[in-house]
Amino acid sequence: MRRPKRQNGPMFAASSPLHSFLDFPLAEIGGTAITIAGVLVATVIFIVALVRSRLAVALLSRLRRRMPEGGAGLYILEKLAGYGIAIFGVIFALSSMGLNLSSLAVFAGALGVGVGLGLQGVAKEFVSGIVLLFDRILNVGDFIEIPGSGGVRGIVYEIGARAIRIRTNDGVDVFVPN
């Protein structure tokens, strides 16, 4: 029995229905056609970036828990790795769709104005959280009391981008905005 010759080249012919479907333009942004194939590739890249971000955070968290003093430096690295991998994943996903990210400069400028005007509180809390992470005045595992709160005291359980989570002696979590 003879085997058919194997063809070198793409799996589907350029005129196949699947190829036509995947190259169907959904929209046009900045002169670039967004196709179904581009959206699928971007989605896969985004999901892979989120999975890698969570794996990196889980690995660094496990290492930090094994440290004798709580590993404040690893905590900072854990937070930065989580945010950094996710942000780069979004950038790579947008780039893989064929978007010229420099064409989004106008959008970034408008977003900057929006943050400046409407989201000052959120931006202030985020920057304060980053400062708290790097400043090391407050570390995970410190016992603190919040003045003017009616005697709320407990152990710093997490320093996030927008809030600090304190676990009281009663086992209740209290969130304090940065």
Side-chain angles (χ1 to χ4, degrees):
M1 181 176 214
R2 289 178 79 190
R3 288 187 177 176
K5 278 188 170 181
R6 185 168 188 209
Q7 296 178 353
N8 292 333
M11 186 174 180
F12 302 103
S15 62
S16 75
L18 180 62
H19 190 270
S20 299
F21 175 73
L22 291 176
D23 281 343
F24 180 76
L26 298 172
E28 189 170 315
I29 299 176
T32 303
I34 305 300
T35 63
I36 293 174
V39 171
L40 290 174
V41 169
T43 303
V44 168
I45 289 173
F46 181 68
I47 290 171
V48 167
L50 285 181
V51 168
R52 285 186 175 188
S53 172
R54 292 203 177 194
L55 286 174
V57 167
L59 174 69
L60 291 170
S61 177
R62 184 176 294 163
L63 287 173
R64 180 176 50 87
R65 280 186 254 132
R66 292 182 182 179
M67 299 291 283
E69 294 95 30
L74 278 178
Y75 185 76
I76 293 170
L77 185 61
E78 173 187 334
K79 290 294 182 181
L80 290 177
Y83 292 134
I85 294 171
I87 288 171
F88 280 120
V90 168
I91 291 170
F92 288 145
L94 290 174
S95 179
S96 73
M97 284 194 306
L99 287 178
N100 183 2
L101 297 180
S102 64
S103 68
L104 297 176
V106 173
F107 175 71
L111 182 66
V113 170
V115 168
L117 296 176
L119 299 175
Q120 284 181 345
V122 173
K124 182 172 50 173
E125 289 173 2
F126 182 76
V127 171
S128 297
I130 300 298
V131 168
L132 283 173
L133 284 173
F134 281 111
D135 202 15
R136 293 191 182 187
I137 290 175
L138 187 65
N139 291 317
V140 174
D142 288 351
F143 185 82
I144 63 169
E145 180 176 353
I146 302 172
S149 64
V152 174
R153 37 183 135 157
I155 295 175
V156 175
Y157 193 74
E158 177 184 14
I159 301 173
R162 295 195 56 211
I164 298 171
R165 186 167 65 169
I166 300 168
R167 182 158 292 162
T168 64
N169 294 335
D170 302 331
V172 177
D173 287 348
V174 176
F175 290 91
V176 181
N178 292 335

